[in-house]
């Protein structure tokens, strides 16, 4: 993961900005916990501002993009957290588990060092039903099928709650399906670079898909076939906020 994000993470903070609606959900899931370990923290987009936070991130490039005054960060991997058992009240992992080399071992480490685990993940089957994947870059589906899905993660953790996090049409965090109602955004290379699913898919496949999308936008075909989406304020792309407690 470190080497991967040292390469594809350049400029990540420009496209991946905190959305206050998701941050509110994360804060609610953390409850009244006072100490939080943010594992796979990246640039720290969803770190709670009102708690004692320690971040863990393996990529030097991602650490470099953390804002001044951000929580202290330890360069380490989820599968080998350098902390004593139960030293944190909560462990947070936001859109990172699918990048871990051994996700079960990493989640086991979260349980070891914290009494509550809050994990933001996604259902890979629903991600693969995204129109961009189905119609333009179906090669993304192969990558997604190799990743752990939110139901698997919830089962492994023995989740006490799983909350649906829909994606608002004006979402500010450039996750892969963020622009489900704003398709022209995918024509921007900077937008595509901030999506790991596209960054890790063969460039030729992405280029072919983008060419088809551009043509469908110019002809009006995309809008004709997806008119129903344009009336929706939000859409379920499969994102799930998973909460587990040590005493469950």
């Amino acid at each position: 993961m470190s080497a991967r994000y040292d390469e594809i993470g350049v400029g990540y903070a420009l496209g991946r900005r905190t959305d206050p609606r998701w941050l509110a959900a994360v804060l609610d899931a953390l409850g009244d916990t006072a100490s939080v370990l943010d594992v796979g923290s990246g640039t720290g987009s969803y770190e709670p501002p009102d708690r004692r936070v320690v971040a863990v991130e393996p990529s030097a490039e991602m650490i470099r993009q953390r804002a001044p005054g951000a929580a202290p960060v330890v360069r380490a991997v989820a599968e080998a957290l350098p902390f004593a058992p139960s030293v944190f009240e909560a462990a947070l992992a936001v859109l990172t588990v699918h990048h871990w080399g051994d996700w079960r071992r990493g989640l086991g480490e979260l349980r070891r060092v914290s009494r509550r685990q809050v994990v933001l993940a996604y259902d890979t089957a629903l991600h693969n039903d995204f129109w961009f994947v189905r119609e333009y870059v179906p090669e993304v589906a192969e990558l997604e099928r190799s990743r752990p899905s939110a139901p698997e993660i919830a089962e492994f953790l023995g989740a006490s709650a799983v909350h649906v996090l829909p994606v608002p049409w004006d979402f500010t965090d450039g996750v892969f399906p963020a622009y489900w109602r704003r398709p022209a955004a995918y024509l921007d290379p900077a937008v595509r670079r901030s999506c790991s699913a596209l960054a890790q898919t063969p460039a030729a496949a992405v280029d072919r898909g983008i060419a088809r999308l551009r043509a469908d936008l110019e002809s009006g075909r995309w809008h004709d076939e997806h008119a129903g989406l344009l009336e929706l304020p939000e859409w379920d792309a499969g994102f799930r906020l998973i909460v587990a407690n040590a005493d469950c």
Side-chain angles (χ1 to χ4, degrees):
M1 182 177 173
S2 174
R4 180 187 308 156
Y5 266 89
D6 283 344
E7 179 181 352
I8 71 174
V10 175
Y12 185 91
L14 298 176
R16 302 297 299 273
R17 299 181 299 278
T18 308
D19 188 279
R21 292 158 289 193
W22 273 21
L23 178 59
V26 168
L27 295 177
D28 186 61
L30 289 171
D32 59 0
T33 56
S35 59
V36 178
L37 179 68
D38 185 14
V39 180
S41 63
T43 59
S45 297
Y46 292 97
E47 289 173 3
D50 56 349
R51 324 287 172 99
R52 180 173 66 85
V53 178
V54 176
V56 168
E57 171 57 45
S59 167
E61 175 59 31
M62 300 299 276
I63 291 172
R64 185 187 65 79
Q65 295 178 62
R66 291 175 64 83
V73 59
V74 175
R75 193 172 182 189
V77 296
E79 296 89 338
L81 296 174
F83 304 103
S86 302
V87 69
F88 295 95
E89 292 185 33
L92 176 65
V94 175
L95 296 179
T96 177
V97 176
H98 57 281
H99 291 303
W100 298 351
D102 185 339
W103 64 271
R104 292 178 179 86
R105 182 175 176 183
L107 292 177
E109 282 286 270
L110 262 63
R111 289 196 300 198
R112 181 182 66 81
V113 303
S114 68
R115 293 188 289 278
R116 174 177 295 182
Q117 298 82 47
V118 176
V119 177
L120 176 50
Y122 59 88
D123 186 318
T124 55
L126 289 178
H127 252 44
N128 282 344
D129 196 40
F130 178 30
W131 58 259
F132 190 96
V133 178
R134 288 197 325 267
E135 301 169 27
Y136 297 100
V137 190
E139 292 83 356
V140 170
E142 182 177 355
L143 171 66
E144 296 291 13
R145 284 192 291 267
S146 72
R147 292 172 158 179
S149 192
E152 293 178 280
I153 294 169
E155 181 180 9
F156 182 89
L157 287 174
S160 57
V162 178
H163 305 286
V164 175
L165 286 189
V167 181
W169 77 270
D170 57 349
F171 200 53
T172 58
D173 188 349
V175 295
F176 178 32
Y179 307 99
W180 58 271
R181 213 180 92 172
R182 296 171 286 170
Y186 292 106
L187 304 182
D188 184 347
V191 166
R192 299 197 299 273
R193 280 195 299 270
S194 71
C195 304
S196 69
L198 294 179
Q200 293 177 255
T201 298
V206 176
D207 289 345
R208 284 194 302 270
I210 292 300
R212 288 195 296 268
L213 176 59
R214 179 177 287 107
D216 285 352
L217 290 173
E218 290 174 353
S219 70
R221 179 180 175 181
W222 187 93
H223 289 82
D224 290 343
E225 294 189 354
H226 298 283
L229 289 179
L230 302 177
E231 303 299 322
L232 299 178
E234 60 185 25
W235 177 65
D236 181 9
F239 293 103
R240 302 292 182 262
L241 190 60
I242 300 162
V243 184
N245 296 287
D247 57 355
C248 290

